[in-house]
């Protein structure tokens, strides 16, 4: 390669890398795997080394990306937040150790091996033991203030559990989302016809940057802390001691770390981690290996971009190639059509995979996946396998583009494309596939929890046309049930009984069971508390709905749209005539606590606790927390930037209290 060719390639690499940085850090929509990205950077660094005249101090080879977004206050990190060098092989790991041996002039080096969590890096500042700030990495020098969203993380204490906190400490960690939570959110989105998120990292990075706190509250984020940024008046000898200290302070840390001597033990720990990571609640994409001694870390130092004393080892994303025999179409509870690849079974990440999602019609068309194609499937952690791409070299002759059905494969109704949604839907509410899903959802554990009404029974009821809607469930007779496969007198009687009992299920279960788009179990609970009967909920206006804690604009719209539909109103009337009579939300427990029977509403940000913490405290003392202010409200607990609830409370003459007053009520002796 001559200089001119190198110059052209360097320019090309820089602009490609910049584009991928933008996709990754700003849009949270990476288009290429990490390893391919690292290969681009490695090539750029190599060329800049061979042709020093091409090196520039603003080259992306020297930068960590930038996640800053407009609309956020920024803060400068007291100590820059660096990135880590990635490695992908045992040889590269051993080369890292050799570099350190040479630099330290000794070979008895001790390391800590930690799981690498694939999430969003954050720096927390605690002053006098209180959490005052949470900031993203940003460009490494300064990042976005996401304090309010981080305060909502349930497992993160607002106050360190110690009598002698350091004056100021910046602790680094990773915000992430469990695989289970990720799947729950994606299921909900798919049912609402929205595009699912590609992976938990993207969803996490999108969530920490949401400005609407009610939306953030609906997604459960988690956090681990693994690094020291800056500390005033704290002397620590090792990384291991640091991890033990933060654990003692009550901060969440990764579930397992290894303190090991020498590179052979490092490698053994990495292999052990690889074998056990499938059992973790979150996606682990590698290991981080750190020199244990902090004095040795400081002696070895850092480059402009990354410390020299630590390195990441990335596990290969698990992918496999296999032939796609067919594409089937699944019809969801709300009629969304999801294309599914039917595969030649293949081993992947420890399981045999024979189906993978193709997401939606748009994605399928973009990838141009055809029946008979050899496809690459990927499974990251516990996440449902997905078709990543087609191996075009192995496309059979005569393979034709897949034509997305214009009709529902189950009931043949012409499908529709709703504006603003990526999904196609079957609009027929009586479509047997939808009925089956709706009934299944109504009977499921999180809804009415009807014993004996599992999937197989629902399938039979719907295909024999004994059940065409939710209300038909309550028209079933013992004789109907006896006509089903595997049903005897006893099982029929039990199911009749279970159906009878379900008529008085708690209101929140019934609301959830109706399957209103966007309304999960937690929101259903919020609704039931704010509107303690179906009639009240049915009559609730959009404005009254958004007043409820946990309900945003979108959910309010979905609720109104659901109850305004004639079919749904008829359904509710029928259910009522058949005896459905939800039990009122549980009244206060009558614990004899100091707040027995008192009704609280919260608004604004509290100075030292999250709303959830406040709620737990109030409930423990026998009080109750509801979503909207009414004449029944005893106290409005108001924090900073209190909203319309404060105005309403003042108008109704409801007592307004601050956090300090609440604390005094809870602990009168100390006040
Ligand atoms: S230590 C000076 N430890 O991975 C850099 N990072 O690819 C210190 N990460 O920037 C980072 N788990 O956001 C460290 N146990 C762990 C980690 C971890 C995940 C993230 C972190 C880092 C990135 C590098």
């Amino acid at each position: 390669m001559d200089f001119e060719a190198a110059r052209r390639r360097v320019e090309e690499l820089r602009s490609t890398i910049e584009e991928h940085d933008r996709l990754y850090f700003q849009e949270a929509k990476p288009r290429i795997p990490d390893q391919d990205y690292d290969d681009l950077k490695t090539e750029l660094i190599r060329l800049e080394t061979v042709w020093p005249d091409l090196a520039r101090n603003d080259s992306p080879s020297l930068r960590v990306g930038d996640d800053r977004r407009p609309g956020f206050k920024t803060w400068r990190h007291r100590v820059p937040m660096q990135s880590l060098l990635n490695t992908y092989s045992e040889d590269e790991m051993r080369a890292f150790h050799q570099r350190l041996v040479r630099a330290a002039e000794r070979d008895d080096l001790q390391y800590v091996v930690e799981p690498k969590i694939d999430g969003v890096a954050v720096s927390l500042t605690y002053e006098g033991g209180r959490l005052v700030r949470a900031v993203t990495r940003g460009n490494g020098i300064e990042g976005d203030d996401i304090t309010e969203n981080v305060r909502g993380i349930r497992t993160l204490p607002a106050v360190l559990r110690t009598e002698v906190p350091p004056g100021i400490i910046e602790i680094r960690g990773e915000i992430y989302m469990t695989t289970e939570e990720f799947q729950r959110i994606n299921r909900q989105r798919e049912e609402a016809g929205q595009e699912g998120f590609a992976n938990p990292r993207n969803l996490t990075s999108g969530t920490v940057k949401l400005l609407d706190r009610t939306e953030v509250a609906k997604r459960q984020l988690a956090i681990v802390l693994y690094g020291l940024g800056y500390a005033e008046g704290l002397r620590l000898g090792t990384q291991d001691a640091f991890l033990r200290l933060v654990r003692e302070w009550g901060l969440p840390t990764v579930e397992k770390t290894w303190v090991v001597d020498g590179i052979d033990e490092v490698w053994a720990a990495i292999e052990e981690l690889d074998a056990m990571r499938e059992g973790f609640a979150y996606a682990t994409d590698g290991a981080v290996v750190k020199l244990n001694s902090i004095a040795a870390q400081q002696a070895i130092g850092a480059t402009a971009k990354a410390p020299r004393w630590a390195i990441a080892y990335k596990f290969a994303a698990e992918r496999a190639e296999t032939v796609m025999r067919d594409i089937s179409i699944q019809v969801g509870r709300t009629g969304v059509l999801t294309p599914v690849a039917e595969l030649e079974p293949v081993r992947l990440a420890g399981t045999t995979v024979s189906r993978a999602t193709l997401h939606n019609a748009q994605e399928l068309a973009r990838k141009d996946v055809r029946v008979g194609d050899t496809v690459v499937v990927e499974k990251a952690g516990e996440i449902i396998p997905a078709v990543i791409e087609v191996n075009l070299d192995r496309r059979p002759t005569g393979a034709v583009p897949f034509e997305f059905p214009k009709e529902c494969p189950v009931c043949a109704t012409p499908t529709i494309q709703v504006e603003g949604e990526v999904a196609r839907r079957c609009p027929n509410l009586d479509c047997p596939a939808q009925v089956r899903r709706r009934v299944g959802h109504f009977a499921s554990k999180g809804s009415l929890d009807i014993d004996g009404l599992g999937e197989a029974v629902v399938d039979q009821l719907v295909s024999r046309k004994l059940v065409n809607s939710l209300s038909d469930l309550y028209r079933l007779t013992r004789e109907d049930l006896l006509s089903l496969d595997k049903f005897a007198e006893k099982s029929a009687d039990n199911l009749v009984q279970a159906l009878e009992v379900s008529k008085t299920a708690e209101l929140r279960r019934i609301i959830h069971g109706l399957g209103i788009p966007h309304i999960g179990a937690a929101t259903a609970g919020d609704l039931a508390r704010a509107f303690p009967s179906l009639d009240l909920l049915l009559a609730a206006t959009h404005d009254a709905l958004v007043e409820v804690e946990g309900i945003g604009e979108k959910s309010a719209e979905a609720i109104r749209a659901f109850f305004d539909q004639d079919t749904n109103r008829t359904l509710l009337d029928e259910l009522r005539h058949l005896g459905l009579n939800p039990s009122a939300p549980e009244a206060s427990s009558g614990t004899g606590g100091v707040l027995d029977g008192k009704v609280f509403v919260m608004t604004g940000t509290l100075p030292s606790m999250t709303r959830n913490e406040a709620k737990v405290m109030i409930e423990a003392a026998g009080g109750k927390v509801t979503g909207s202010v009414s004449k029944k409200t005893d106290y409005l607990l108001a924090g900073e930037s209190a909203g319309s609830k404060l105005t309403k409370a003042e108008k109704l003459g409801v007592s307004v209290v601050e956090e300090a007053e609440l604390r005094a009520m809870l602990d009168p002796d100390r006040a």
Side-chain angles (χ1 to χ4, degrees):
M1 191 186 264
D2 62 12
F3 181 79
E4 193 42 37
R7 193 187 58 75
R8 276 199 306 272
R9 179 67 186 147
V10 162
E11 264 172 26
E12 189 180 15
L13 284 166
R14 282 179 184 150
S15 74
T16 313
I17 290 169
E18 269 163 9
E19 172 63 6
H20 288 304
D21 278 346
R22 195 184 58 73
L23 286 166
Y24 186 97
F25 286 104
Q26 310 230 342
E27 292 192 12
K29 277 195 180 154
R31 205 181 289 143
I32 55 171
D34 284 1
Q35 185 153 11
D36 295 359
Y37 174 84
D38 286 336
D39 288 346
L40 293 172
K41 271 206 164 168
T42 310
E43 188 185 348
L44 177 60
I45 293 169
R46 196 177 51 78
L47 289 174
E48 287 174 342
T49 318
V50 177
W51 307 95
D53 286 351
L54 293 175
R56 269 191 355 222
N57 56 13
D58 64 346
S59 172
S61 60
L62 298 172
R63 275 204 306 266
V64 287
D66 192 346
D67 68 46
R68 287 172 304 167
R69 297 260 185 89
F72 284 85
K73 192 152 106 191
T74 56
W75 289 95
R76 215 180 150 83
H77 302 297
R78 283 195 172 79
V79 171
M81 278 181 89
Q82 291 195 303
S83 183
L84 287 177
L85 212 65
N86 285 333
T87 55
Y88 294 91
S89 69
E90 187 180 345
D91 284 351
E92 287 175 276
M93 265 322 295
R94 289 184 180 275
F96 160 73
H97 172 65
Q98 287 312 325
R99 286 199 295 278
L100 294 198
V101 167
R102 274 196 304 275
E105 294 177 355
R106 52 193 283 187
D107 58 7
D108 58 339
L109 299 176
Q110 190 171 65
Y111 296 97
V112 179
V113 179
E114 302 170 5
K116 180 166 170 3
I117 314 277
D118 200 11
V120 173
V122 68
S123 182
L124 305 181
T125 305
Y126 281 85
E127 282 181 17
R130 281 180 186 277
L131 177 67
V132 295
R133 207 151 37 245
V135 181
T136 65
R137 172 163 38 213
N139 64 354
I141 304 296
E142 61 171 42
D144 283 345
D145 185 331
I146 53 166
T147 313
E148 289 316 315
N149 290 349
V150 168
R151 281 192 197 282
I153 299 178
R154 286 199 209 143
T155 52
L156 183 71
V159 180
L160 297 179
R161 214 164 53 198
T162 166
E163 297 287 314
V164 280
I168 298 178
I169 186 166
E170 270 189 26
I171 306 173
R172 270 78 197 265
E174 202 87 355
I175 303 176
Y176 68 94
M177 196 176 270
T178 62
T179 311
E180 199 185 332
E181 177 67 353
F182 167 73
Q183 288 172 344
R184 182 188 71 79
I185 292 167
N186 261 6
R187 259 196 313 272
Q188 244 179 28
R189 286 179 68 89
E190 271 157 32
E191 279 168 2
Q194 294 164 310
E195 195 175 353
F197 291 93
N199 56 50
R201 198 206 78 87
N202 289 2
L203 178 51
T204 306
S205 83
T207 304
V208 299
K209 292 290 178 90
L210 285 175
L211 292 166
D212 179 349
R213 256 187 280 156
T214 53
E215 287 301 312
V216 180
K218 286 189 204 155
R219 305 178 183 175
Q220 213 180 112
L221 294 171
I223 192 169
V224 287
L225 286 314
Y226 50 62
L228 181 60
Y230 167 90
E232 209 175 66
L234 183 69
R235 279 197 175 276
L236 282 168
T238 60
Q239 164 72 7
D240 180 45
F242 166 75
L243 289 173
R244 275 184 279 129
L245 183 67
V246 292
R247 237 170 251 151
E248 226 166 82
W249 286 346
L251 298 175
T253 56
V254 287
E255 45 199 280
K256 182 158 172 65
T257 55
W258 289 258
V259 179
V260 296
D261 293 304
I263 191 64
D264 290 336
E265 287 188 14
V266 164
W267 191 249
I270 289 178
E271 286 186 326
E272 203 178 312
L273 169 62
D274 193 13
M276 69 193 293
R277 71 192 166 111
E278 234 183 295
F280 290 179
Y282 42 76
T284 310
D285 63 344
V288 179
V289 180
K290 303 172 180 174
L291 209 48
N292 196 19
S293 153
I294 289 175
Q297 290 177 4
Q298 282 162 353
I300 282 169
T303 68
K305 205 185 113 180
R308 288 199 177 85
W309 46 265
I311 201 155
Y313 172 78
K314 299 282 259 308
F315 298 121
E318 309 206 30
R319 290 182 169 200
E321 274 199 3
T322 187
V323 172
M324 186 181 71
R325 293 182 190 150
D326 201 3
I327 294 175
S328 60
I329 305 285
Q330 269 182 3
V331 185
R333 171 156 58 86
T334 56
V336 170
L337 306 189
T338 305
V340 176
E342 304 289 343
L343 308 167
E344 238 10 285
V346 61
R347 291 291 292 176
L348 183 61
T351 54
T352 302
V353 170
S354 54
R355 312 182 84 197
T357 180
L358 288 159
H359 299 296
N360 55 54
Q362 227 174 30
E363 267 303 291
L364 196 163
R366 193 178 66 77
K367 296 192 185 113
D368 184 21
V369 189
R370 306 181 182 187
V371 172
D373 268 343
T374 294
V375 293
V376 178
V377 278
E378 184 177 287
K379 191 172 173 211
E382 311 287 308
I383 299 147
I384 345 153
V387 171
I388 301 295
E389 62 187 9
V390 176
N391 180 347
L392 288 176
D393 295 338
R394 305 186 63 180
R395 170 163 284 172
T397 45
V400 287
F402 182 74
E403 227 178 289
F404 208 83
K406 301 263 180 311
E407 289 173 355
C408 170
V410 178
C411 70
T413 306
T415 58
I416 52 164
Q417 177 85 52
V418 182
E419 209 174 297
E421 291 185 357
V422 287
R424 287 191 78 80
R425 279 172 191 274
C426 163
N428 173 17
L429 291 173
D430 298 325
C431 170
Q434 290 187 47
V435 174
R436 206 169 283 143
R437 296 284 181 118
R438 275 206 298 278
V439 173
H441 175 76
F442 191 72
S444 70
K445 276 225 166 328
S447 302
L448 277 77
D449 196 10
I450 306 176
D451 241 1
L453 196 54
E455 217 172 278
V457 179
V458 173
D459 273 358
Q460 286 192 63
L461 290 170
V462 175
S463 55
R464 296 187 191 197
K465 304 226 177 301
L466 288 167
V467 168
N468 301 305
S469 76
L470 296 183
S471 52
D472 283 347
L473 281 175
Y474 295 111
R475 296 191 180 96
L476 287 171
T477 62
R478 190 168 179 265
E479 286 63 45
D480 289 336
L481 295 175
L482 282 171
S483 74
L484 303 180
D485 296 346
K486 297 203 188 121
F487 259 78
E489 315 249 321
K490 188 151 182 262
S491 39
D493 286 341
N494 285 347
L495 182 47
V496 168
Q497 178 64 23
L499 281 163
E500 200 49 42
V501 170
S502 76
K503 289 179 181 172
T504 51
E506 287 163 75
L507 180 61
R508 63 179 174 92
R509 291 182 173 272
I510 291 173
I511 297 173
H512 183 239
L514 291 174
I516 308 168
H518 299 293
I519 307 304
T523 317
D526 293 337
L527 285 171
R529 274 189 294 277
F531 307 101
S533 78
L534 273 177
D535 283 324
L536 288 172
L537 178 58
L538 234 75
T541 60
H542 180 94
D543 288 353
L545 287 167
V546 289
E547 272 285 299
V548 178
E549 188 70 44
I551 306 279
E553 287 288 331
K554 250 203 233 136
S555 312
E557 266 165 39
I559 296 164
R560 264 313 353 134
F562 184 89
F563 289 125
D564 286 343
Q565 232 175 47
D566 284 341
T567 42
N568 292 328
R569 289 213 165 237
T570 314
L571 170 71
L572 285 169
D573 279 344
E574 286 177 356
L575 286 172
R576 233 187 311 232
H577 274 114
L578 290 160
L580 189 80
N581 184 18
S583 49
E586 62 277 31
S588 97
S589 43
T591 49
V594 285
L595 298 180
D596 235 357
K598 296 287 182 229
V599 180
F600 280 76
V601 173
M602 297 191 248
T603 181
T605 313
L606 304 175
S608 81
M609 52 175 135
T610 66
R611 287 208 209 178
N612 202 44
E613 285 165 340
K615 179 163 176 267
V616 170
M617 289 166 77
I618 292 168
E619 287 173 352
K624 200 167 117 180
V625 177
T626 66
S628 60
V629 177
S630 73
K631 276 188 248 153
K632 294 199 190 122
T633 312
D634 292 299
Y635 297 102
L636 179 75
L637 176 60
E640 205 182 317
S641 32
S644 59
K645 289 180 192 173
L646 181 57
T647 333
K648 187 153 174 209
E650 282 164 351
K651 210 163 80 196
L652 292 175
V654 171
S655 316
V656 177
V657 293
E658 291 182 357
E659 181 188 310
E661 288 164 277
L662 172 68
R663 287 186 188 276
M665 288 186 206
L666 290 170
D667 193 358
D669 298 341
R670 279 182 64 177

